[in-house]
Amino acid sequence: MSITFATVADAVAARNRPGLLYVRVGGEVINATEATVRYGVDQPVGTCTVYCNAPRPASVAINAEIEIEMGYPGAARRRFIGVIPDDESVTEMRGHLLRIEGVGRASRLAWPERNGIELAANISLKDAFRSLCALRGVETYFADDTTYVDGITTITLGGNDQINGGAVRCDSRRDPLAWLIAASGMYGYRVFDSPDGAVRLARVSGLPPESEPVAMAYAEGLNCYRIVRRRSNRPMVNYWTVEGARYTDADGATTQIRSIPAEVPYADELAPLGYRADTFASQDIVTDEQAAGVRNALEIDRGSLSNTYEWECAGHPELQPGDVVTLEAPTHGLATPTRLWLTAIEEAVTDRGYLVSRMAGWAGGGQALAAGNDCVTVAV
């Protein structure tokens, strides 16, 4: 007798959770014995590992499409789609085994363009992402509206006529994925594969806004088997200087794009100085507005003590990296449900069922600071 659940929530709450696993390679179902999928907002390309008995099924070919569904009876979802870059067959005392590795659709962005890529001036970060996905034939991709930390002003790239004629360039030495990671990351956005098969550009920065729905609530002693909290002041920097491109302007003078804060609040975690200074530099920053936007994103993400959380729980086949979840863990200082960005997911199905998922969460707690000006004017 099998157990069928009406919803994923019912399955997660149940004591007995028989797992479901479907693996298709080249459109053909294979008899997989185990599968693991891994995703994260800081892992641009999702990966999977699948095991089945050898000999190798006829549909398993290098670069063949691989798709995985995981879940519970009545509540299974796609948790991976991509291609196979390599596999390995092994014969040993215990029998014959085939291990298949898969990479997600963001891998299509991971090789340089032979002649480089040029995008129009003042293109939004969102449209730049969409254009590059379309160029590389990514089937499904979604992007948040890309704005500065004010949530209103659109992030536009390029736009300085003195640099590349205002255009945006990704030269042949850098692949589109690496360029997107750098261009989006400095504004608080991440590019990553999702279990449902879409490549996403999403804001994962600062505190999750109250307008974002909560995808899942986790609580110590209720639906978490293990919780780890890590605190550190090592990544903490509250005095950022952002430097962009250096160029020669129309008057022949050398100009440096630069942004600094007007005032830095004292931080007890960095006593006795109360501050830690660092510089972020990128040639892709070509206007003062862009420099200020990058600095503000760094301030809300790195300007406070780093708190990261990891927990183990039942598999939840609807969650995607970049979702907002809540975690309540009084033992670890979270007396009430606290909103976190879901930053990583690793889950597996074996012959023992839908096993424990490992997840990670984080939220920035700094504040954006007003721009400063340390220029000195000399009367001639």
Side-chain angles (χ1 to χ4, degrees), residues 41-42 144 147-150 155 184-190 192 201-210 212 293-304 322-324 339-343 362-368:
V41 299
D42 292 317
D144 290 352
T147 63
Y148 292 114
V149 298
D150 62 9
I155 297 170
S184 61
M186 59 187 180
Y187 295 105
Y189 288 81
R190 318 287 178 94
F192 53 91
L201 171 66
R203 185 176 189 85
V204 184
S205 179
L207 296 172
E210 294 297 325
E212 286 282 344
V294 171
R295 179 176 55 78
N296 286 160
L298 288 167
E299 288 163 350
I300 66 174
D301 287 347
R302 299 275 302 277
S304 64
D323 281 348
V324 176
R339 297 169 69 88
L340 301 171
W341 298 107
L342 184 61
T343 56
W362 165 88
Q367 59 178 313

Side-chain angles (χ1 to χ4, degrees), residues 206-280:
L207 296 172
E210 294 297 325
S211 59
E212 286 282 344
V214 175
M216 186 66 182
Y218 292 101
E220 178 183 349
L222 180 62
N223 58 358
C224 291
Y225 310 137
R226 181 174 186 265
I227 300 175
V228 178
R229 179 186 183 184
R230 296 186 177 91
R231 298 194 305 165
S232 177
N233 74 352
R234 294 177 187 273
M236 185 176 174
V237 174
N238 60 348
Y239 186 176
W240 282 102
T241 297
V242 171
E243 294 181 351
R246 182 187 293 269
Y247 65 97
T248 302
D249 64 19
D251 296 325
T254 300
T255 300
Q256 171 74 67
I257 302 295
R258 184 168 175 266
S259 181
I260 61 171
E263 186 177 356
V264 177
Y266 184 89
D268 291 331
E269 298 88 349
L270 300 176
L273 289 179
Y275 73 92
R276 181 179 290 156
D278 202 356
T279 298
F280 179 89

Side-chain angles (χ1 to χ4, degrees), residues 144-181:
D144 290 352
D145 289 332
T146 47
T147 63
Y148 292 114
V149 298
D150 62 9
I152 300 171
T153 309
T154 299
I155 297 170
T156 58
L157 307 177
N160 187 329
D161 293 338
Q162 305 300 316
I163 302 173
N164 298 327
V168 180
R169 288 183 182 172
C170 172
D171 63 34
S172 59
R173 295 169 297 176
R174 187 158 54 157
D175 61 75
L177 183 58
W179 182 85
L180 278 170
I181 292 168

Side-chain angles (χ1 to χ4, degrees), residues 8-9 32 57-58 60 84 113 159 189 207 214 218 245 282 306 313 328 344 367:
V8 173
V60 178
I84 300 172
E113 194 75 11
Y189 288 81
L207 296 172
V214 175
Y218 292 101
S282 172
S306 172
C313 56
E328 182 178 0
Q367 59 178 313

Side-chain angles (χ1 to χ4, degrees), residues 27 63 68 89 95 101 105 119 129 140 147 150 181 192 199 201-202 226 242 302 327-328 344-345 359 377:
N63 208 38
I68 301 172
S89 56
E101 299 291 340
R105 287 171 166 170
L119 302 172
F129 166 79
T140 308
T147 63
D150 62 9
I181 292 168
F192 53 91
V199 181
L201 171 66
R226 181 174 186 265
V242 171
R302 299 275 302 277
L327 179 63
E328 182 178 0
I345 301 173
M359 302 193 180
T377 301

